[in-house]
Amino acid sequence: MFRSLRRALSAAVAALALVLPLGLGAQTAHAAEPGAGYWHTSGRQILDAAGQPVRIAGINWFGFETGNHVVHGLWSRDYKSMLDQMRSLGYNTLRLPFSDDILKPGTLPDSINFADGKNADLQGLTSVQVMDRIVAYAGRIGLKIVLDRHRPDSGGQSALWYTSAVPESTWIADLKALATRYKGDSTVIGIDLHNEPHDPACWGCGDTARDWRLAAQRAGNAVLSVNPELLIMVEGVQSFNGVSGWWGGNLMGVAQYPVQLDVPNRLVYSAHDYATSVAQQPWFGDPSFPDNMPGVWDRYWGYIFKQNIAPVWVGEFGTTLQSTVDQKWLAALVTYLRSTSAYGADSFHWTFWSWNPNSGDTGGILKDDWSTVDTVKDGYLASVKAPGFPGTGSPGGGDPGGGTASCSAAYTVSSDWGGGFNAEVKVTNSGTTALKSWKVTWTWSGSQRVTSMWNASYTQSGATVTASNADHNGAVPVGGSASLGFGGAPGGGGVPVVSCTAT
């Protein structure tokens, strides 16, 4: 289990009575493809270089912070295919955890598969040079990146931003080195200064050895001194004024002790929130659960957004989705984050934990084969996904100004219980130019009907179903793929032939 169970939880949480205004007169934006250039903040929104609001709607891909010193899964697949798949599923931002170990000279990645041409351009590179390649390709296909200082070293997370082996001076020097390394490349739009500060870390206590708010100011200003275009992501702590919660998830102190940076409009507050598959919290046992959850989130971090103080980014949230409690929690959180169709970019920002299936207490969007998508888990996130961002080049090597647009589709039944079934249709760009949109059609031989569908819209006439891409997954690079999932009834049907049309 690469992600540790890392929550030392409070015994009780005070009753929640904070009521916050939702309507602040902030604009609701529905820009088609914003995101160019570096970003900055305005009130509770993040704006691109042209002043258009953007929404971070992304995924965590971990591994650089572990003893492998590189993102996981490259033992199975090529890194470009991973990034293409993220993009095709509608994730527009990648949070990339790392440890300071990768900044040490000569640190090499472990467990990369080079067979059959996989990861060919990564051979012989150091860990940070592999990161360079990931950043470069992400930029080509329109993925933004937030670098996350997840651990001081690959041995594990730390409560404070420093340890005896990695002092504050090293932390700040390494953050500045990365900010300098990617200066001028707006693919990297921000740095998450330190992952999940927790007890004895404090917020606003004034003790420079423990006060995370003061440390974040020192580090954030150091980063901005070498790259003033970056967003500075500052997580919460565990406890404030005797109220505890998730590691990194308590931002109650911001109201009294806001972070103050030398460069204005660069601060984003970040919270983490989890379900019972990670650990229990008192609110899960509240008789009013899940109706109590908006009040919990308001109190810990949501008020920052609702009072128009600053943007709020839920940098991590996840679950195995096995228990009913966890399912209700995720559904409630997604609703709280505000759907893109209703609110556009005037919303909370997020990156789901995780892409990786080998997160022991949450699992991932990918299943254990590092290829198949958990369409149920991914489907929960469909309403809060957001439009992608313009890339810096041809996504998959095809000529965006020419070539042939074509696609193929594969239909897979993921589960069948007789009375109903779940299935996935995977669309692959088989042409020589990027797809702008697609639709698939199939005809069942029996009486099956679609009962629900995610990552696509559909019509059904008799036994024939036609499904068209959602807004977030119509663009598919050459060789890339997109997926839709659906539930149907009754079960027991065969696998129909699916036709795909590039539109």
Side-chain angles (χ1 to χ4, degrees), residues 415-426:
S415 60
D416 190 324
W417 55 93
F421 66 99
N422 287 324
E424 177 186 44
V425 175
K426 181 178 181 181

Side-chain angles (χ1 to χ4, degrees), residues 28-108:
T28 298
H30 297 276
E33 266 202 31
Y38 281 107
W39 297 353
H40 60 283
T41 69
S42 177
R44 69 190 193 184
Q45 293 191 331
I46 298 176
L47 309 180
D48 67 9
Q52 296 184 89
V54 294
R55 183 177 199 180
I56 296 173
I59 196 79
N60 285 269
W61 186 14
F62 68 79
F64 275 113
E65 82 283 16
T66 72
N68 297 100
H69 302 117
V70 71
V71 284
H72 287 173
L74 300 190
W75 51 70
S76 295
R77 293 176 60 188
D78 184 88
Y79 76 98
K80 293 178 182 177
S81 74
M82 291 275 206
L83 294 168
D84 285 340
Q85 189 178 22
M86 293 175 198
R87 185 70 169 81
S88 73
L89 289 171
Y91 299 102
N92 63 26
T93 305
L94 175 62
R95 181 175 182 257
L96 208 55
F98 69 91
S99 83
D100 292 68
D101 283 351
I102 70 165
L103 276 300
K104 295 178 179 178
T107 298
L108 297 174

Side-chain angles (χ1 to χ4, degrees), residues 203-371:
W203 189 290
C205 68
D207 180 352
T208 56
R210 298 189 303 116
D211 194 329
W212 165 237
R213 175 249 188 178
L214 294 178
Q217 290 181 170
R218 293 192 295 271
N221 286 327
V223 167
L224 293 171
S225 73
V226 297
N227 189 345
E229 304 290 346
L230 289 174
L231 295 175
I232 301 299
M233 277 71 171
V234 179
E235 297 185 27
V237 290
Q238 178 185 354
S239 303
F240 180 78
N241 282 353
V243 180
S244 291
W246 297 113
W247 290 6
N250 190 334
L251 285 160
M252 295 170 64
V254 169
Q256 186 175 357
Y257 304 104
V259 170
Q260 297 176 334
L261 298 176
D262 294 338
V263 180
N265 303 318
R266 291 295 181 274
L267 174 63
V268 176
Y269 289 106
S270 177
H272 290 185
D273 203 89
Y274 279 97
T276 63
S277 64
V278 172
Q280 285 290 336
Q281 289 275 18
W283 42 81
F284 295 126
D286 189 299
S288 65
F289 178 86
D291 294 339
N292 63 318
M293 291 310 303
V296 173
W297 295 319
D298 279 350
R299 190 184 194 204
Y300 278 89
W301 43 268
Y303 76 93
I304 297 170
F305 172 85
K306 292 185 176 182
Q307 294 182 5
N308 205 33
I309 296 170
V312 176
W313 168 51
V314 185
E316 291 184 21
F317 63 107
T319 166
T320 59
L321 212 59
Q322 296 301 304
S323 73
T324 301
V325 169
D326 285 23
Q327 294 163 12
K328 290 180 178 180
W329 165 85
L330 184 55
L333 180 56
V334 166
T335 299
Y336 184 82
L337 295 178
R338 297 161 63 95
S339 70
T340 302
S341 62
Y343 299 101
D346 185 28
S347 305
F348 292 94
H349 304 270
W350 58 271
T351 43
F352 189 73
W353 186 277
S354 63
W355 181 247
N356 308 48
N358 60 333
S359 173
D361 47 9
T362 65
I365 291 297
L366 292 186
K367 295 187 177 181
D368 288 343
D369 62 2
W370 282 95
S371 180

Side-chain angles (χ1 to χ4, degrees), residues 33 84-91 378 382 385-388 424-429 435-439 453-457 467-477 480-485:
E33 266 202 31
D84 285 340
Q85 189 178 22
M86 293 175 198
R87 185 70 169 81
S88 73
L89 289 171
Y91 299 102
D378 181 66
K385 290 179 181 177
E424 177 186 44
V425 175
K426 181 178 181 181
V427 174
T428 300
N429 183 344
L435 298 180
K436 294 182 179 179
S437 59
W438 49 264
K439 66 178 179 180
M453 183 174 289
W454 47 93
N455 293 330
S457 59
S468 300
N469 62 271
D471 289 341
H472 66 261
N473 65 352
V476 182
S481 62
S483 296
L484 65 90

Side-chain angles (χ1 to χ4, degrees), residues 8 45 129 172 174 206 215 326 411 480 490:
Q45 293 191 331
Q129 288 170 337
I172 290 179
D174 287 346
D326 285 23
Y411 180 112

